[in-house]
Amino acid sequence: MSVAEDTDVFEVLGDDAPGFTLAYLRGSSDCVKLLNAAGRITFMSENGLCAMEIGDPADVVGKTWWSMWPDAQQSILKSNFDRGMAGEICHFQGSCPTAEGNEREWDVTISPIRNDDGAVTSVLAVSRDVTPVS
């Protein structure tokens, strides 16, 4: 298996898969979100909550992802979400302030999540803060 292949990743990880996932989520400063088929946030990583300056996950869980962004950005997010649900991996950059109102620039990757039959059931949205340091 090459590094680029992902079809057998769980076979390689075996019993370490859950620990690997938790280690990634805890070690990454990215804002990692799981979006259901309706685009609602079902999970946001702890470091993502910190990056977005959100104190309580209940403030975002259940909300549509694009509703958390400024009006001018929402159509871009919705379009990329739809492409992710159609099976595409998408990438874009956009501006969205944190919950505290601090302006941030985000580099966003959308990846489809497939079930065992290969159908897309949800989307992973990973946002990285790329705000230039002044």
Side-chain angles (χ1 to χ4, degrees), residues 12-95:
V12 171
L13 292 174
D15 292 340
D16 290 334
F20 173 87
T21 302
L22 286 173
Y24 170 77
L25 290 172
R26 289 180 180 145
S28 173
S29 60
D30 295 340
C31 183
V32 179
K33 296 156 296 297
L34 180 63
L35 311 175
N36 68 15
R40 296 192 180 280
I41 299 168
T42 60
F43 168 82
M44 184 182 286
S45 63
E46 186 175 335
N47 289 338
L49 293 167
C50 290
M52 288 295 300
E53 298 179 328
I54 297 168
D56 185 349
D59 292 340
V60 295
V61 171
K63 292 186 177 180
T64 52
W65 175 51
W66 45 88
S67 71
M68 307 288 296
W69 286 63
D71 291 345
Q73 300 283 327
Q74 289 185 18
S75 64
I76 295 167
L77 274 79
K78 177 72 169 88
S79 172
N80 279 277
F81 168 79
D82 289 342
R83 290 173 56 202
M85 285 300 298
E88 290 183 56
I89 295 174
C90 310
H91 180 260
F92 65 95
Q93 291 190 344
S95 299

